[in-house]
Amino acid sequence: MSRKIEKTDAEWRAQLSPTQYEVARQKGTERAFTGEYWNFWENGEYRCICCGTPLFDSEHKFDAGCGWPSFWTAAAPENVDEAEDRSHFMHRTEVLCRKCGAHLGHVFEDGPAPTGLRYCINSASIRFDPQRSSGGDD
Ligand SMILES: [Zn+2]
């Protein structure tokens, strides 16, 4: 059920745009205020750009003013992995898709209630879907 998805770099490169590949597979970061979703407020869910796994929901999205889509929780915490990231002389917590290992962004502890968390996610790593797959509870 939770079988991992593994593809070669060449396969990912063929599937993704250059920006998506750079961010999701090479742990890149899109420039602030350039992504598709930082100022996007439609109602729906956000899936992994690589494998389609539901990760975040518009219900948890908030305007952090940082130029990246921000969520105060993952919609499906079981689909999200966290890892220590000590690159760039910082100590951060990286957020990844558990299913395919895509780099999504980072989580910080300066978000709003009730979690106090801010999942700062690259637009390039996610794909908006107005149809919630889990759905049925509104
Ligand atoms: Zn994925």
Side-chain angles (χ1 to χ4, degrees):
M1 178 179 148
S2 59
R3 201 152 68 98
K4 295 236 181 196
I5 294 174
E6 297 200 19
K7 296 189 184 186
T8 65
D9 276 352
E11 286 173 314
W12 287 125
R13 211 183 273 272
Q15 176 187 332
L16 302 169
S17 78
T19 303
Q20 290 163 352
Y21 177 80
E22 166 71 22
V23 172
R25 308 313 317 183
Q26 302 292 315
K27 301 188 190 301
T29 300
E30 69 198 15
R31 284 173 50 212
F33 305 105
T34 64
E36 198 175 348
Y37 300 128
W38 71 272
N39 193 20
F40 178 89
W41 304 103
E42 299 291 315
N43 187 24
E45 71 181 4
Y46 294 85
R47 296 159 172 272
C48 177
I49 193 69
C50 295
C51 72
T53 296
L55 300 172
F56 298 98
D57 195 289
S58 60
E59 280 182 46
H60 311 132
K61 198 173 186 296
F62 69 100
D63 185 2
C66 64
W68 290 279
S70 302
F71 305 85
W72 49 261
T73 186
E78 69 275 15
N79 292 341
V80 171
D81 259 341
E82 295 181 5
E84 192 178 38
D85 175 5
R86 289 185 176 276
S87 62
H88 304 290
F89 306 101
M90 289 181 276
H91 185 194
R92 297 180 294 177
T93 303
E94 181 186 5
V95 183
L96 305 119
C97 171
R98 180 165 290 169
K99 191 142 198 174
C100 73
H103 170 79
L104 306 174
H106 292 87
V107 59
F108 301 95
E109 294 182 347
D110 58 4
T115 59
L117 297 175
R118 172 170 61 97
Y119 286 80
C120 183
I121 302 302
N122 290 283
S123 303
S125 295
I126 51 178
R127 168 170 64 79
F128 176 74
D129 187 344
Q131 301 277 336
R132 285 187 177 85
S133 57
S134 45
D137 60 319
D138 62 87

